[in-house]
Amino acid sequence: MKFVTDTLLAIFLCSAFPLGAQPLNIYTEEWSPISFSIDGKPAGLAVQVVEEIQQRIKNQDPIRVVPWARGWKMLTEQPSTVLFTMTRTAEREQMFTMIGPVAVGTTNFYALKNSGIKITTLDDAKRAKAIGVYRASVEEQLLIEHGFSNIAASSTPLLSAKQLMKHRIDLWCNANLTAPSILSGAGASIDEVESLFTISANHLYIAFSQGTPNEVIEQWKSALEAIKADGTFKAIYHTWLPNDAPPMQTERIGRTN
């Protein structure tokens, strides 16, 4: 009798909590205006997009704003984990499944205006005294790949911006999408710096860890496609980046889970 009862309970649980409905661990970072926290609550362009997806697929798992290094660790170690936004790279395509893009931009070297620094090649930047960058970010990875040894990694993008304004570093490597907001947090303005060199284009995605059910990823992708088709995505994008053109295509790239 106990065997029958246990069997019926197991069947009930499986039907009540289908594979696609299992909880997701959802992480993002402090990277305004794309994602950040206000009074402990997540906000920003990508946060609004993800919340819209969640509303349409009836997912209520909380979004947690954490340091990028922690989110990365969770994504590489836990199944059914989501991290956004992630810059697309060939290496990351081998590690994760991604849908998007949810934003596009560039990675640039910034210097204080009238600094006298001239950069026309990556080798010019390698001669700078120090380049500030967010630790464990795609920008730091990019510099390492290009053989830079003058990297001054910081625990937050804000700290790097402050170091630039205080002349403690010569260059700051950061995405154009977030530079104005980060500088504002440092008590400065984008008008006080200048972009000297663009290293690469950034296409930002929502990433899913290995072991995330395929039907969950497809559900998120379909919802993102719908958001872009009905104008919701464009409205969200222009709320945060009014002068930028939103990426209207949607694709799934990377691993097949």
Side-chain angles (χ1 to χ4, degrees), residues 82-243:
V82 180
L83 178 63
F84 68 94
T85 56
M86 177 175 286
T87 301
R88 176 181 182 175
T89 68
E91 179 184 13
R92 291 173 174 182
E93 287 182 32
Q94 301 300 314
M95 300 172 66
F96 315 114
T97 306
M98 293 177 271
I99 62 168
V102 295
V104 293
T106 57
T107 296
N108 304 325
F109 284 128
Y110 293 92
L112 292 173
K113 277 193 174 175
N114 303 316
S115 67
I117 299 173
K118 303 293 182 183
I119 298 192
T120 57
T121 68
L122 288 176
D123 285 339
D124 291 338
K126 290 178 181 179
R127 288 189 282 270
K129 180 176 62 177
I131 301 174
V133 70
Y134 183 17
R135 181 175 292 112
S137 66
V138 69
E139 290 85 7
E140 183 184 31
Q141 294 172 0
L142 189 61
L143 295 184
I144 291 172
E145 288 172 6
H146 283 289
F148 281 78
S149 59
N150 53 345
I151 299 171
S154 297
S155 57
T156 67
L158 179 61
L159 183 54
S160 290
K162 288 180 177 180
Q163 289 175 334
L164 180 68
M165 301 313 298
K166 294 178 180 179
H167 303 268
R168 293 177 180 171
I169 55 176
D170 295 331
L171 299 173
W172 176 39
C173 183
N174 198 80
N176 69 314
L177 295 175
T178 59
S181 178
I182 294 170
L183 285 166
S184 177
S189 165
I190 191 66
D191 295 329
E192 296 178 59
V193 305
E194 55 184 337
S195 175
L196 300 183
F197 189 83
T198 295
I199 308 171
S200 66
N202 294 334
H203 290 76
L204 304 175
Y205 288 73
I206 300 168
F208 298 84
S209 65
Q210 296 182 33
T212 303
N214 181 68
E215 55 265 43
V216 170
I217 299 172
E218 284 299 309
Q219 193 178 36
W220 279 59
K221 179 176 177 286
S222 296
L224 180 58
E225 288 172 336
I227 291 167
K228 291 188 177 184
D230 67 16
T232 304
F233 179 80
K234 184 179 291 185
I236 293 172
Y237 206 87
H238 284 156
T239 297
W240 298 95
L241 300 171
N243 298 319

Side-chain angles (χ1 to χ4, degrees), residues 8-48:
L8 290 174
L9 178 60
I11 293 172
F12 169 77
L13 289 174
C14 288
S15 60
F17 300 98
L19 183 61
Q22 65 181 292
L24 293 173
N25 306 301
I26 306 176
Y27 300 101
T28 190
E29 62 172 330
E30 295 283 358
W31 205 50
S32 178
I34 305 302
S35 58
F36 58 99
S37 58
I38 300 177
D39 297 328
K41 296 181 179 180
L45 188 161
V47 169
Q48 277 195 265

